[in-house]
Amino acid sequence: MTRTRFAPSPTGPLHLGHAFAALTAARLADAGQFLLRIEDIDQSRCRPAYEAAIFEDLAWLGLDWPKPVWRQSERLGAYQQALDRLAALGLIYPCSCRRADILAALDAPQEGQKPLIGPDGPIYPGTCRHRAMSDARPEDAIRLNAAKAFALLDLSEVAFLDENIAPGVSHRLAATEFLTGVGDVVLARRGMGTSYHLAVVVDDAAQGITLVTRGKDLLDSTWIHVLLQRLLDLPSPRYHHHRLIRDDSGKRLAKRDDARAISLYRAEGARPEDIRRMIGL
Ligand code: GLU
């Protein structure tokens, strides 16, 4: 049975891109199950009013999902368990570097050269890699020691299948490419107890998601997710990275693009089928 999910963060109104993502997840669940999950780990940016609006917009679009929905803010214990497991394997370390420190460290060797930005931000130069978890302070982030992870798993690459981009073809990234192009990703952000990558991997497995559907902008994050699945002994779902909905100038829609908010179209009298037509469904 196919089980898919739509996993928005309640940090703004849902726009046409979200409508496309949610309807795609529901369509691909087919006769299986479509779940809604609220990704609200960044409590400083999430608002209950946006969460309520998500339920309302999706129901208006004709979607239905099992209740109660999972909220990631209520799942911190599960993320901590995953971190404990990685800590027992010696694979994580505390990090006190701020983004500016990282950029400064990366810029230093070749003045003026742009640092490489991976799916988790600038490639971490390893400043805190020597630190032990026993030395972790509340204001630290927690990072994965990626080189150690590949060595422990004795893996030379990570791979996943995407049913939309190139069906049947395995997407592969060599361990060396991961280390230079992704690096030591953050598994728990400062004061949050988790990160998008860790939470999404733990929850997709816990909810038995068999097909992860999401925008192509997250394609490169999938390398991180499949590595975490191996480390945590979790099954890898199938993937479907879909096209992104763009505005008239070709720019990808963002939450701040209120002009494209579903609620605005609704208020102007649009019907769900008008929304579908606008996004080519
Ligand atoms: N909360 C993520 C977002 O809003 C979901 C990404 C995913 O589906 O993995 O982009």
Side-chain angles (χ1 to χ4, degrees):
M1 186 190 77
T2 301
R3 186 179 283 167
T4 63
R5 84 311 192 265
F6 174 55
S9 297
T11 55
L14 293 190
H15 55 58
L16 293 181
H18 295 106
F20 184 78
L23 290 167
T24 300
R27 177 174 61 84
L28 294 173
D30 197 17
Q33 204 171 34
F34 162 74
L35 304 186
L36 172 65
R37 182 172 71 225
I38 299 295
E39 303 216 320
D40 58 349
I41 55 173
D42 187 352
Q43 286 285 311
S44 68
R45 295 173 56 226
C46 295
R47 302 279 175 272
Y50 288 134
E51 186 183 296
I54 288 172
F55 298 147
E56 215 181 293
D57 284 345
L58 295 180
W60 177 79
L61 280 171
L63 296 175
D64 193 17
W65 55 89
K67 286 129 192 143
V69 300
W70 283 25
R71 282 189 195 86
Q72 292 192 321
S73 57
E74 295 165 0
R75 300 261 310 143
L76 295 178
Y79 311 140
Q80 187 55 50
Q81 269 181 18
L83 287 172
D84 290 345
R85 188 167 167 170
L86 297 174
L89 295 169
L91 294 180
I92 54 177
Y93 60 88
C95 173
S96 57
C97 298
R98 305 266 166 171
R99 194 181 159 88
D101 303 328
I102 297 171
L103 289 174
L106 289 171
D107 252 344
Q110 290 135 319
E111 200 68 48
Q113 248 193 17
K114 266 216 169 132
L116 185 61
I117 306 288
D120 195 51
I123 311 306
Y124 185 60
T127 320
C128 289
R129 198 177 285 141
H130 63 279
R131 290 179 56 197
M133 282 304 288
S134 52
D135 161 48
R137 294 182 288 260
E139 64 275 19
D140 285 332
I142 306 292
R143 285 184 184 274
L144 175 71
N145 185 327
K148 247 180 147 174
F150 277 99
L152 183 89
L153 293 169
D154 198 17
L155 269 189
S156 58
E157 63 173 22
V158 272
F160 64 90
L161 289 170
D162 184 287
E163 301 187 351
N164 192 40
I165 296 178
V169 178
S170 178
H171 294 251
R172 299 169 178 281
L173 188 74
T176 48
E177 291 172 307
F178 189 105
L179 299 184
T180 52
V182 182
D184 285 1
V185 295
V186 172
L187 296 188
R189 290 168 62 188
R190 185 178 306 117
M192 264 184 225
T194 187
S195 68
Y196 159 63
H197 303 299
L198 183 69
V200 84
V201 162
V202 168
D203 285 351
D204 282 341
Q207 294 193 289
I209 302 299
T210 59
L211 175 64
V212 166
T213 67
R214 58 184 174 211
K216 280 187 181 165
D217 53 329
L218 288 167
L219 188 68
D220 285 343
S221 291
T222 307
W223 304 121
I224 303 167
H225 302 174
V226 290
L227 178 62
L228 288 174
Q229 286 151 9
R230 296 293 293 262
L231 290 170
L232 294 167
D233 259 326
L234 301 172
S236 282
R238 286 140 53 211
Y239 288 94
H240 175 114
H241 291 91
H242 57 69
R243 66 183 167 89
L244 301 173
I245 302 296
R246 301 184 181 275
D247 66 14
D248 300 335
S249 65
K251 206 167 70 41
R252 182 165 74 86
L253 299 183
K255 286 245 172 61
R256 59 189 173 281
D257 293 334
D258 283 9
R260 309 274 158 171
I262 298 170
S263 52
L264 223 83
Y265 288 109
R266 282 173 58 192
E268 287 169 356
R271 293 156 306 161
E273 50 272 33
D274 299 320
I275 302 285
R276 284 177 185 265
R277 195 176 26 76
M278 277 187 259
I279 54 182
L281 285 177

